[in-house]
Amino acid sequence: MSKNVTRRVVLRGTAIAVAGAALAAPAAMAATRAALPMDHTGMDHSGHGSHGPQPFDEVYQGRRIVGTPVTTGHEAHHGGFAVTIDGKELHVMRNADGTWISVINHYQTYPDPLALTRAAVDKLQGASLVPITTR
């Protein structure tokens, strides 16, 4: 090693090499992924296993509650589920941990859409479900 090479010069060169590798790695990984063919047939994209919530159709406390998996559109791709109370839609969402929430009680989670819908009927206390309007 030359006498003109100091520890500072070596450390600077090492830092530059490490930074270059760190910046190049994500680009190389993205290029590799883009080159691979993707086959989505038969895959569950909901992120919650292959068994989604079960459909239901029952009368609970005198109210007809129905829940069915969504089969078309963006919601179907993410394991969506449609729920109605007396024929009126109850907006429901699945959380990342697999629990469910609704617009009736956005802060209480439920293990499945049936439990969530029964709880919504309890909270409504006989009131009609009013559709959500957006502007």
Side-chain angles (χ1 to χ4, degrees):
M1 200 191 284
S2 169
K3 289 185 179 189
N4 293 337
V5 178
T6 64
R7 187 179 326 170
R8 182 177 289 166
V9 171
V10 171
L11 288 175
R12 186 181 306 140
T14 303
I16 291 171
V18 168
L23 292 173
M29 289 172 52
T32 302
R33 266 190 238 114
L36 295 174
M38 298 291 286
D39 180 16
H40 293 293
T41 56
M43 295 183 71
D44 171 37
H45 297 286
S46 68
H48 306 289
S50 60
H51 294 57
Q54 296 300 310
F56 57 89
D57 184 347
E58 68 179 44
V59 175
Y60 177 75
Q61 292 191 7
R63 311 288 292 269
R64 176 136 186 241
I65 59 174
V66 177
T68 57
V70 177
T71 58
T72 60
H74 181 74
E75 289 296 321
H77 182 73
H78 293 283
F81 204 79
V83 172
T84 61
I85 299 175
D86 295 333
K88 295 181 181 169
E89 181 184 10
L90 171 66
H91 181 74
V92 299
M93 291 187 319
R94 191 168 202 175
N95 295 318
D97 66 358
T99 60
W100 293 81
I101 58 174
S102 76
V103 296
I104 299 295
N105 190 345
H106 213 73
Y107 301 104
Q108 177 67 44
T109 60
Y110 297 91
D112 57 54
L114 178 57
L116 171 121
T117 307
R118 288 176 177 165
V121 168
D122 294 340
K123 287 282 186 189
L124 285 170
Q125 298 178 353
S128 293
L129 189 61
V130 178
I132 298 174
T133 57
T134 57
R135 291 183 181 204

